[in-house]
Amino acid sequence: MPTQRGSVKLFRLLGIDVYLHWAWFVAFIYLTSRPHAYSNYGWSALEILSLFLIVLTHEFGHALACRSVGGTANLIVLWPLGGVAYVNPPQRPGAQLWSIAAGPLVNVALAPVLIGLAYWGKYHGWADAFPDAFLLLKNVAIINTV
């Protein structure tokens, strides 16, 4: 596959090979070294890794939904600005729609959990007691929602 060029295989999960494009490493270095509101660069690294996990779960949503309707999905390639789940759903409108919609639905399902945790943390004083952890949680909720 052309988009696999320049990618390294990370792992295989549920029969799906996950590749990471080299540009993720460049983006990781750039984004963690830029000025930020955290007390140290480790929190920025956790924020970027959270973005990676959000994109990964989104793409697994596409792939597993495709498989659930009888299609094939064996490859995910992650890029800094998103990912590509190579899916081949059956040529039925409902199957194709489900394969397309399942990725964003993962983010829709995560949104109330992350936003709820952020509000719960704010209510319980995390913003003052654990400012970096609270900011990370708030930023991850925003990243997922956007």
Side-chain angles (χ1 to χ4, degrees), residues 31-82:
L31 293 171
T32 56
S33 64
R34 75 191 193 297
H36 50 78
Y38 298 111
S39 64
N40 64 54
Y41 293 108
W43 291 99
S44 284
L46 285 174
E47 184 177 304
I48 302 308
L49 291 174
S50 297
L51 169 63
F52 171 84
L53 288 174
I54 288 169
V55 172
L56 183 63
T57 57
H58 174 102
E59 296 307 326
F60 263 100
H62 289 299
L64 296 176
C66 178
R67 285 184 169 182
S68 75
V69 293
T72 57
N74 301 318
L75 176 65
I76 293 173
V77 179
L78 300 172
W79 296 75
L81 297 175

Side-chain angles (χ1 to χ4, degrees), residues 7 20-21 24 26 29-30 34 60-62 67 72 80 89 115 117 122:
S7 299
L20 184 69
H21 192 267
W24 258 104
V26 174
I29 291 168
Y30 170 73
R34 75 191 193 297
F60 263 100
H62 289 299
R67 285 184 169 182
T72 57
I115 292 168
L117 276 172
K122 184 176 182 177

